[in-house]
Amino acid sequence: MTARDELRREMVHNHLYMTEDRADELIGAVLAEVAATANAKIQAVRDLHRPVEHSGITICAECSGWDGETTDNSPCGYEHCPTLRALDGRETS
C-alpha cells in the first residue's frame, strides 16, 4: 500500500468522516503545496548558482565566489557546477 493510499484509508475509514473524493481532493492539494514549495526551493538554489561571464568564460557565481567583479575561489565553469549537475540528474563526480 502506498503512503497516499494509507493516508486516504485513514482519512476516510478511521478518523475523519469524509468521502473518498474529498480525501483525494485534500491529498492532491497537499501534494500540490509540497511540490510548489520544493520547486521554489530548487529555483532559489538555481538562482544562487547562476551563470556569469568572467574573463571570457561562463562560470557558476556561487561555486566561484563571484562578487560582481572577481572570484574568491578558482572559477568553476558553469557546465561543471556540481550543484546544478545534481539538480539536473547528471553525474557529479
Side-chain angles (χ1 to χ4, degrees):
M1 178 180 291
T2 67
R4 181 190 179 281
D5 291 339
E6 190 173 343
L7 176 59
R8 185 173 179 256
R9 184 176 189 286
E10 286 287 321
M11 291 171 74
V12 172
H13 298 291
N14 295 340
H15 297 292
L16 301 174
Y17 300 100
M18 67 178 64
T19 65
E20 289 182 357
D21 287 343
R22 179 65 178 142
D24 286 342
E25 181 182 320
L26 291 173
I27 291 168
V30 169
L31 291 175
E33 287 177 11
V34 169
T37 299
N39 287 335
K41 302 274 184 197
I42 290 168
Q43 187 57 51
V45 170
R46 287 185 182 281
D47 291 345
L48 283 174
H49 292 268
R50 69 193 181 284
V52 295
E53 293 298 318
H54 174 65
S55 298
I57 61 170
T58 304
I59 62 171
C60 171
E62 184 67 16
C63 292
S64 301
W66 179 250
D67 68 2
E69 293 182 18
T70 189
T71 62
D72 290 336
N73 306 327
S74 296
C76 174
Y78 186 69
E79 69 279 2
H80 300 294
C81 170
T83 302
L84 293 176
R85 293 177 66 83
L87 288 176
D88 293 340
R90 296 181 286 153
E91 190 174 316
T92 58
S93 55

